[in-house]
Amino acid sequence: MAAQVRIRTGALERIGNAQGLRSRYARAKHLGVAQSTVGRVLDGEQLPGNSLIAATLSKLHVSFEDVFEVDGTDNGAAA
């Protein structure tokens, strides 16, 4: 199974709220991504893409582990 980056449930909301970004619209605007993208990722309908991950880390000043997790690692097995 290929590794996938997933958002930690509730993490973006919690961090956004703490930084005054109380709506999905406000979070999306601050991150420079589409509101629909934020919604789909938070609703579990879509995995976060590189642009959302990079914007989250740089614009919210958080570490990767604060918001994201790697799921389905192959434990180093050769492909």
Side-chain angles (χ1 to χ4, degrees):
M1 172 184 234
Q4 297 178 323
V5 174
R6 298 193 180 277
I7 197 159
R8 292 185 185 275
T9 305
L12 188 58
E13 284 109 343
R14 179 179 41 79
I15 292 166
N17 286 341
Q19 295 188 21
L21 305 169
R22 305 215 187 288
S23 68
R24 288 182 175 186
Y25 172 78
R27 292 178 199 119
K29 186 172 181 173
H30 184 76
L31 295 175
V33 298
Q35 182 180 357
S36 60
T37 299
V38 171
R40 286 192 302 268
V41 169
L42 291 176
D43 292 339
E45 299 170 2
Q46 175 181 325
L47 293 173
N50 292 338
S51 61
L52 178 62
I53 294 168
T56 300
L57 301 180
S58 65
K59 295 183 180 182
L60 295 180
H61 309 289
V62 294
S63 70
F64 180 89
E65 294 80 15
D66 288 338
V67 183
F68 303 101
E69 62 188 359
V70 178
D71 182 34
T73 59
D74 61 10
N75 295 322

